[in-house]
Amino acid sequence: MKNFNIEPLNKTFSCEIDSIASDKSISHRCAMFSIFSKDTSIIRNFLMAEDTLNSLNIIKALGADVKIDGSYIEITPNDIKEPSHVLDCGNAGTGMRLFCGLLSSLDGSFILSGDKYLNDRPMNRVVKPLRSIGAIIDGRENGNKAPLYIRGKSLKSFEYTSPIASAQVKSTMILAALRADGICKYKENELTRDHTERMLKGMGAKIFTDKKGFINIEPLTGKLKALDITVPTDPSSAFFFAIAAAITPGATIILKNLTLNPTRIEAYKVLEKMGAKIQYIQKENIYEPIGDIIVSHSELKAIHIKDNISWLIDELPALSIAMSLAEGISKVSNAEELRVKESDRIESVLTNLELCGVSFKEFEDGYEITGGELKKAKINSKGDHRIAMSFAIAGLNCGMEIEDIDCIQTSFPNFFEIINKLRH
Ligand code: S3P
């Protein structure tokens, strides 16, 4: 367990960054969806971080040939093999939940497990709807906690309205639907990130949303087209550097080649409402709109975030750092999902902000932060990559000692290299 001491920046910066980690959500999906084709999928800029490499290893264990050359990957699927060992998802909730949907209809028995944090996260949100269409899944706490045991079998078609706004649940059910015995319908109460629908449609799957808001998924009748994709930069990873620019007087940063998918850049819109100057420059549209985002510092003011929570759920820890330095009292509501992320992020943001001298109020579904200044502290990441990186960015303002930074490897291995670029 490594610690890291981050010194205050004590200067401004103006730079262009083109080496931010590739998108985690899209990389997981590239690894998984490749098995729906008979041809070789080509993936450029695959995220070479622990979470997504675990998904790649699982695909290999299921029989696919995987060639890796830097971040260029070729995946050639073969007949599904029943693996002789436990499939390790590491820290990745997306990995474990989406694999539940994928494996439930495959021939064979599979065991999914992860690290101590993942094995403590709730899986009922996917296990229950999957069981209702015939999936055989068991695990600790009657299947709510991993290790999970899955025995693949044919699944029934379904019509399901999800009580949670979750792209993981939606994607899990879409993957199950692709191999169900009839047309399936899935509805969510608000649109969540839609990479699964975009990518599978791009591969030729028949998926459309009807007038009543149900996503209709036709089961596959044959194989899909292989993927040929360049994974864009992860806007959630880039957002740490958007915050760095927003809180540093005189700073400007150009963040290159991000997915500009509206379900992924809401946090930038919030930061803009807080006063930061932000420009969006779309350059292409392949599976997803892709382009650059330029962020410049301006005095920040408080904000109340209560809408489109699923569009910015991953960025709330970093936004909390901006709120701590903004003028006035900021509030986050309707964000109870933060409690079941890689850590209980309401608790881990607030206990660490308290150490930094920030005043706050805690609610079951969010918090209130009184803006002012941050003080250097020794904070604990709680094994959560986004907590470690958010407080590292805070450290650029006031200095910070961060306990347990190993978790950053799950999504953004070169994070500190980029921090160092801001110093030069
Ligand atoms: C993800 C969906 C979100 C997000 C996670 C990645 C995905 O989770 O927080 O980091 O790739 O589908 P939920 O679907 O649980 O909100």
Side-chain angles (χ1 to χ4, degrees), residues 25 29 94 97 125 166-168 193 313-314 341:
S25 293
R29 286 161 171 80
T94 305
R97 295 193 178 118
R125 54 184 57 202
S166 161
Q168 292 179 356
R193 68 186 69 188
I313 192 86
D314 290 343
K341 290 293 173 187

Side-chain angles (χ1 to χ4, degrees), residues 167-181:
Q168 292 179 356
V169 176
K170 171 173 65 175
S171 304
T172 302
M173 296 310 288
I174 292 178
L175 292 176
L178 288 178
R179 295 170 53 90
D181 66 2

Side-chain angles (χ1 to χ4, degrees), residues 114-376:
D115 65 12
K116 64 176 179 183
Y117 304 104
L118 180 57
N119 284 3
D120 210 29
R121 293 179 66 187
M123 292 298 142
N124 263 344
R125 54 184 57 202
V126 294
V127 169
K128 279 192 172 166
L130 285 171
R131 277 182 180 157
S132 77
I133 57 170
I136 299 177
I137 308 180
D138 210 344
R140 294 186 305 126
E141 294 184 13
N142 190 25
N144 187 34
K145 300 267 171 81
L148 296 176
Y149 170 80
I150 301 173
R151 177 183 289 278
K153 67 186 284 286
S154 52
L155 300 177
K156 296 191 292 261
S157 60
F158 61 85
E159 182 174 311
Y160 183 66
T161 301
S162 176
I164 329 172
S166 161
Q168 292 179 356
V169 176
K170 171 173 65 175
S171 304
T172 302
M173 296 310 288
I174 292 178
L175 292 176
L178 288 178
R179 295 170 53 90
D181 66 2
I183 293 188
C184 299
K185 290 171 182 261
Y186 180 94
K187 191 170 179 178
E188 51 189 352
N189 45 23
E190 58 182 81
L191 177 68
T192 61
R193 68 186 69 188
D194 55 357
H195 307 300
T196 296
E197 300 92 298
R198 286 175 189 255
M199 290 171 68
L200 288 172
K201 273 195 229 172
M203 295 173 76
K206 296 209 171 69
I207 299 178
F208 70 93
T209 302
D210 65 23
K211 283 190 197 125
K212 290 184 178 156
F214 278 96
I215 303 170
N216 288 237
I217 309 113
E218 285 188 22
L220 297 182
T221 49
K223 296 285 184 186
L224 295 178
K225 279 188 290 200
L227 282 162
D228 182 349
I229 185 170
T230 302
V231 180
T233 297
D234 194 314
S236 310
S237 297
F239 194 66
F240 296 109
F241 293 95
I243 296 289
I247 64 172
T248 306
T252 290
I253 200 158
I254 305 176
L255 303 162
K256 301 289 287 179
N257 304 324
L258 276 60
T259 167
L260 299 181
N261 182 325
T263 64
R264 295 296 304 281
I265 57 168
E266 185 70 7
Y268 294 82
K269 309 269 169 177
V270 169
L271 194 58
E272 206 175 347
K273 283 193 195 131
M274 292 178 78
K277 297 193 193 87
I278 309 207
Q279 279 170 265
Y280 308 84
I281 302 164
Q282 186 175 327
K283 296 192 296 195
E284 47 189 330
N285 198 334
I286 312 166
Y287 298 103
E288 303 263 330
I290 293 168
D292 302 340
I293 297 187
I294 307 175
V295 182
S296 302
H297 167 267
S298 189
E299 291 303 317
L300 297 178
K301 50 184 190 302
I303 191 147
H304 184 181
I305 305 175
K306 55 182 187 320
D307 301 319
N308 291 334
I309 293 294
S310 70
W311 291 16
L312 44 71
I313 192 86
D314 290 343
E315 292 79 20
L316 284 170
L319 273 170
S320 309
I321 301 302
M323 290 173 178
S324 305
L325 293 167
E327 196 198 323
I329 299 178
S330 293
K331 189 169 181 184
V332 176
S333 314
N334 302 326
E336 49 282 293
E337 272 295 299
L338 283 175
R339 299 248 179 226
V340 289
K341 290 293 173 187
E342 285 83 331
S343 66
D344 172 343
R345 285 189 177 152
I346 294 183
E347 200 253 348
S348 41
V349 163
L350 297 181
T351 49
N352 285 322
L353 282 183
E354 187 167 29
L355 296 170
C356 298
V358 175
S359 307
F360 59 84
K361 277 191 199 150
E362 177 174 354
F363 307 106
E364 198 37 46
D365 69 337
Y367 42 84
E368 220 171 71
I369 290 176
T370 305
E373 50 171 39
L374 286 161
K375 285 203 300 262
K376 179 174 179 168

